[in-house]
Amino acid sequence: MTETLKPGATIGILGGGQLGRMLSVAASRLGFRCHIFEPGAEPSAGQVAWKVTTAPYEDEAALTAFAESVDVVTYEFENIPTAALDLIERLRPIHPNRRALAISQDRLQEKAFLNGIGLATAPWAAVEDMASLEAALATIGTPSILKTTRLGYDGKGQARIKAPEDAPAALAAMAGAPAVLEGFVEFSCEISVIAARGLDGSVSCFDPGENVHRNGILHTTTVPARVSPALRSDAVLIAAKILNALDYVGVLGVELFVTPKGLLVNEIAPRVHNSGHWTQAGCTVDQFEQHIRALAGWPLGDGSRYADVEMLNLIGDDVAQVPALAKEPRTQIHLYGKAEAKPGRKMGHVNRVL
Amino acid sequence: MTETLKPGATIGILGGGQLGRMLSVAASRLGFRCHIFEPGAEPSAGQVAWKVTTAPYEDEAALTAFAESVDVVTYEFENIPTAALDLIERLRPIHPNRRALAISQDRLQEKAFLNGIGLATAPWAAVEDMASLEAALATIGTPSILKTTRLGYDGKGQARIKAPEDAPAALAAMAGAPAVLEGFVEFSCEISVIAARGLDGSVSCFDPGENVHRNGILHTTTVPARVSPALRSDAVLIAAKILNALDYVGVLGVELFVTPKGLLVNEIAPRVHNSGHWTQAGCTVDQFEQHIRALAGWPLGDGSRYADVEMLNLIGDDVAQVPALAKEPRTQIHLYGKAEAKPGRKMGHVNRVL
């Protein structure tokens, strides 16, 4: 077990993107230093971190030196090679734990886990070939969506099946990777709960936010979500159930569909989450600090909301709006220090205090 | 003139303490990178900065390389050697400007400047020796306070004169340095205004905060200050007058005494200020980002306050309270990453949302 980290301790972060960047800033508020491990050059997080190691996840010497330089390790994305995690875990604790990571890396495992603890999801079936896809379509029907079980996020590795004749093209789009067919769900909106569990097992959830996606990428999150108090309670209870079932330490993002029959879990992310960025403007302790507090063995902070907020993502060329956004009242800008604004690339976000 | 800086530009900061640290974090939100110049080893700001140069202010090669690596230079404390500033200014713009810095480095110049633009201060007189001290006491009277004209802050370089017989000891405490005698002022409280002026001359002030000192060091700042709306307006007008008179770019801290006859200016600081830390919890754009926006040529941000806040400094051993503070609701912790908790050393602060 990790002991409580004291100010001056060092936190290792696998991945140097914007989530690592904002985690490093949050850690600094508690007196911690961060060491970023990132294969890519000039990582966003490295601009506000104590140390950066630039090396591939296959470089065992670099991983060893990294792990030995820190007190605890966390990560900002799910798709870290297993061998790298094995090596690090022999040297330092990793939070959230390997089980949470394994489950969220694989849509099949994730759905089986969620259903296994009694939580509802969209109907789903494993797909490996045309025969299993046809069988799945026979029970789930169309419209439905075929997704690779691994490495998919922000709409990548997905193909819609509007009618049975779309099946071959959808299967081809999986490029031979194992997949899962998900039935379409009639939902009025998507909400997400950013939930934290401490080393002592205590749980704290931020208010559910309401998400709007564009082109498969999160566009806005607005708090409070326009759902009933009963549904808000349900959402929080679902998140807490997942955290406890996984003996989880850190922040977890839970995306939920609001349907006429109640909430369905869409997916979980074992990390700080884009739909939790609003907490930077609406809470005394934001999701990034909450994550750091959890893995440091500190008491979870007060995540109660004291302002209504709309978070707007700046994707690709959206970043050209920054000069105009800088003039807007009640608007907090967060840029990620990325040089090139490629299409679909998350360049920053703004939090508008409503 | 500085042009508007685009995200990806680099800001140089002279001084690596907590103000530089929080400036670097604020700059990162706007996509800027920071390069810290600091003579001391392992500066607080270096833990969240892109680059750190560790060198004395007399190292011309280091100063040159530093200046050439950045787009604009600012500072987090007043007492930077003039030769270093001369060297840097030949290579890059410095904000706030040299005149603001020179005036705030010298209490005599400061008071003469303030009175010169029609602002009231406590009665004062220059003191160089026993004769001038006696003459000053004859007009200003006791109780009064003798202060070195330069290098004084947080109660250092000051001696109280309760009665004329304290004069020789007070003068001895100045150790031969030029000094100023200030008359004691009957004031009901001290407030401060954190004011910003952009490169385009626009001015924006945060709500005045009410300051309480202990042992000559700021203890708490509470917003809103308990003063009348008329006095709040006066405070803001005074700050704006100073900014415009100095053709100032950046954030300025103005400490004011609230007296039965109105506001007196106590002192000004040409930088972000301890009494403005509350803005991190109460405003969409805090004083650190406001300073960065100003020197980057961006529009000033919305500094309107959306929460009541009490800022509490953690001085020396106060930092031992952190485990207890971490459990408190509506409490935001900011530690500075300093290893050793010496008496009088600012180790961190907390912002309590009221």
Side-chain angles (χ1 to χ4, degrees):
Chain A
M1 284 305 288
T2 312
E3 295 188 1
T4 299
L5 294 189
K6 293 195 174 60
T10 303
I11 293 167
I13 301 176
L14 297 168
Q18 66 268 18
L19 301 180
R21 177 179 176 100
M22 293 183 279
L23 283 169
S24 182
V25 164
S28 79
R29 289 198 296 268
L30 304 182
F32 299 125
R33 298 179 292 188
C34 286
H35 185 164
I36 307 293
F37 190 102
E38 163 64 47
E42 300 193 5
S44 166
Q47 294 168 15
V48 282
W50 178 56
K51 279 191 182 172
V52 180
T53 294
T54 304
Y57 284 115
E58 292 70 34
D59 184 337
E60 295 187 2
L63 285 170
T64 302
F66 165 76
E68 287 177 344
S69 80
V70 303
D71 295 289
V72 62
V73 173
T74 189
Y75 45 88
E76 56 128 44
F77 77 121
E78 291 90 316
N79 298 309
I80 304 152
T82 302
L85 293 165
D86 289 342
L87 186 157
I88 291 168
E89 203 169 43
R90 284 195 292 273
L91 298 168
R92 292 294 183 274
I94 299 180
H95 296 301
N97 62 40
R98 296 293 297 276
R99 184 163 171 240
L101 192 59
I103 283 173
S104 64
Q105 280 178 331
D106 187 302
R107 291 184 204 278
L108 282 178
Q109 278 194 56
E110 183 178 290
K111 288 175 193 303
F113 160 73
L114 292 167
N115 295 164
I117 61 170
L119 299 178
T121 60
W124 60 276
V127 168
E128 290 172 355
D129 50 25
M130 202 58 212
S132 53
L133 177 53
E134 279 170 359
L137 282 168
T139 52
I140 291 168
T142 56
S144 51
I145 187 160
L146 192 63
K147 300 177 178 177
T148 55
T149 59
R150 298 178 69 86
L151 278 170
Y153 65 97
D154 288 344
K156 294 166 192 166
Q158 305 194 358
R160 294 193 177 205
I161 302 182
K162 291 178 188 168
E165 58 266 30
D166 296 339
L171 190 65
M174 300 299 106
V180 56
L181 185 73
E182 294 179 14
F184 258 107
V185 173
E186 285 284 333
F187 62 93
S188 55
C189 68
E190 185 199 287
I191 63 173
S192 55
V193 177
I194 308 301
R197 188 167 177 274
L199 209 56
D200 62 355
S202 61
V203 167
S204 176
C205 297
F206 292 100
D207 272 3
E210 185 171 335
N211 301 328
V212 173
H213 292 79
R214 276 196 191 167
N215 306 320
I217 304 177
L218 184 65
H219 176 58
T220 59
T221 299
T222 308
V223 280
R226 292 165 299 169
V227 295
S228 67
L231 276 187
R232 282 186 215 185
S233 297
D234 285 353
V236 164
L237 291 171
I238 287 170
K241 194 166 195 177
I242 297 169
L243 290 172
N244 289 327
L246 293 172
D247 192 21
Y248 194 92
V249 173
V251 161
L252 176 84
V254 183
E255 293 180 5
L256 299 153
F257 293 133
V258 179
T259 80
K261 294 177 184 168
L263 297 171
L264 299 184
V265 182
N266 178 27
E267 62 179 37
I268 62 176
R271 53 170 168 76
V272 288
H273 195 259
N274 195 166
S275 67
H277 292 357
W278 67 267
T279 58
Q280 295 170 315
C283 305
T284 17
V285 170
D286 69 19
Q287 66 163 347
F288 302 99
E289 180 173 329
Q290 203 68 302
H291 186 73
I292 298 294
R293 280 173 171 249
L295 61 92
W298 283 35
L300 295 179
D302 183 352
S304 60
R305 184 172 54 79
Y306 64 91
D308 295 355
V309 183
E310 182 197 72
M311 189 287 304
L312 168 72
N313 264 340
L314 301 177
I315 310 289
D317 288 339
D318 291 350
V319 79
Q321 299 166 22
V322 165
L325 290 166
K327 292 178 192 162
E328 286 191 14
R330 298 175 84 78
T331 298
Q332 195 178 71
I333 295 173
H334 293 263
L335 298 181
Y336 304 153
K338 298 178 184 177
E340 219 183 326
K342 296 178 195 164
R345 193 177 199 197
K346 291 180 178 173
M347 301 301 292
H349 68 273
V350 296
N351 287 320
R352 290 187 168 121
V353 177
L354 302 174
Chain B
M1 283 302 290
T2 311
E3 296 189 2
T4 299
L5 294 190
K6 293 196 174 59
T10 303
I11 294 167
I13 301 176
L14 298 167
Q18 65 269 15
L19 300 181
R21 178 180 176 99
M22 293 183 280
L23 283 169
S24 181
V25 164
S28 79
R29 289 198 298 266
L30 304 183
F32 299 124
R33 298 179 291 188
C34 287
H35 185 164
I36 307 293
F37 191 101
E38 163 64 48
E42 300 194 5
S44 167
Q47 294 167 18
V48 283
W50 178 55
K51 279 192 182 171
V52 180
T53 294
T54 304
Y57 285 114
E58 291 71 35
D59 185 336
E60 294 186 3
L63 285 171
T64 301
F66 165 77
E68 288 177 343
S69 79
V70 304
D71 296 288
V72 61
V73 173
T74 189
Y75 45 88
E76 56 129 44
F77 78 121
E78 291 91 316
N79 298 307
I80 303 153
T82 301
L85 293 165
D86 289 342
L87 186 157
I88 291 168
E89 204 169 41
R90 283 196 293 273
L91 298 166
R92 293 293 183 275
I94 298 180
H95 297 300
N97 62 39
R98 297 292 296 278
R99 183 164 171 237
L101 191 59
I103 283 173
S104 64
Q105 279 177 331
D106 187 303
R107 291 183 205 279
L108 282 179
Q109 280 194 54
E110 183 178 290
K111 287 174 195 303
F113 160 73
L114 292 168
N115 295 165
I117 60 170
L119 299 178
T121 60
W124 60 277
V127 169
E128 289 172 359
D129 50 25
M130 202 59 210
S132 52
L133 177 53
E134 280 169 1
L137 282 168
T139 50
I140 291 169
T142 58
S144 52
I145 186 161
L146 192 63
K147 301 176 177 179
T148 55
T149 59
R150 298 177 69 88
L151 278 171
Y153 64 97
D154 288 346
K156 294 167 193 167
Q158 305 195 357
R160 293 192 180 206
I161 302 181
K162 291 177 189 168
E165 58 265 31
D166 297 340
L171 190 65
M174 301 299 105
V180 56
L181 185 73
E182 294 179 15
F184 259 108
V185 173
E186 285 285 332
F187 62 92
S188 55
C189 68
E190 185 199 288
I191 63 174
S192 56
V193 177
I194 307 301
R197 188 167 177 274
L199 208 55
D200 61 356
S202 60
V203 167
S204 175
C205 297
F206 292 100
D207 271 3
E210 184 172 335
N211 301 329
V212 175
H213 293 78
R214 278 195 191 168
N215 306 318
I217 304 178
L218 184 65
H219 177 57
T220 59
T221 300
T222 307
V223 279
R226 291 166 300 169
V227 294
S228 67
L231 276 186
R232 283 186 214 184
S233 297
D234 285 353
V236 164
L237 291 171
I238 287 170
K241 194 165 197 178
I242 297 169
L243 289 171
N244 289 327
L246 292 172
D247 192 20
Y248 195 92
V249 173
V251 161
L252 174 85
V254 183
E255 294 180 5
L256 300 153
F257 292 132
V258 179
T259 80
K261 294 178 187 169
L263 297 171
L264 300 184
V265 182
N266 178 28
E267 62 179 40
I268 62 175
R271 52 170 167 78
V272 287
H273 195 260
N274 195 165
S275 67
H277 293 358
W278 67 267
T279 57
Q280 295 171 315
C283 304
T284 16
V285 169
D286 68 19
Q287 67 163 346
F288 302 100
E289 181 173 330
Q290 204 68 302
H291 186 72
I292 298 293
R293 280 173 172 252
L295 62 91
W298 284 35
L300 295 178
D302 182 352
S304 61
R305 184 173 54 81
Y306 64 90
D308 294 356
V309 183
E310 182 198 71
M311 188 286 305
L312 168 73
N313 264 341
L314 302 176
I315 309 289
D317 289 340
D318 291 350
V319 78
Q321 300 166 23
V322 166
L325 290 166
K327 292 177 191 161
E328 286 190 14
R330 298 174 85 77
T331 299
Q332 194 178 70
I333 295 173
H334 292 264
L335 298 180
Y336 304 152
K338 297 179 183 177
E340 219 183 324
K342 295 178 194 162
R345 192 176 200 197
K346 291 180 177 173
M347 302 299 292
H349 68 274
V350 296
N351 287 320
R352 289 185 169 122
V353 178
L354 302 175

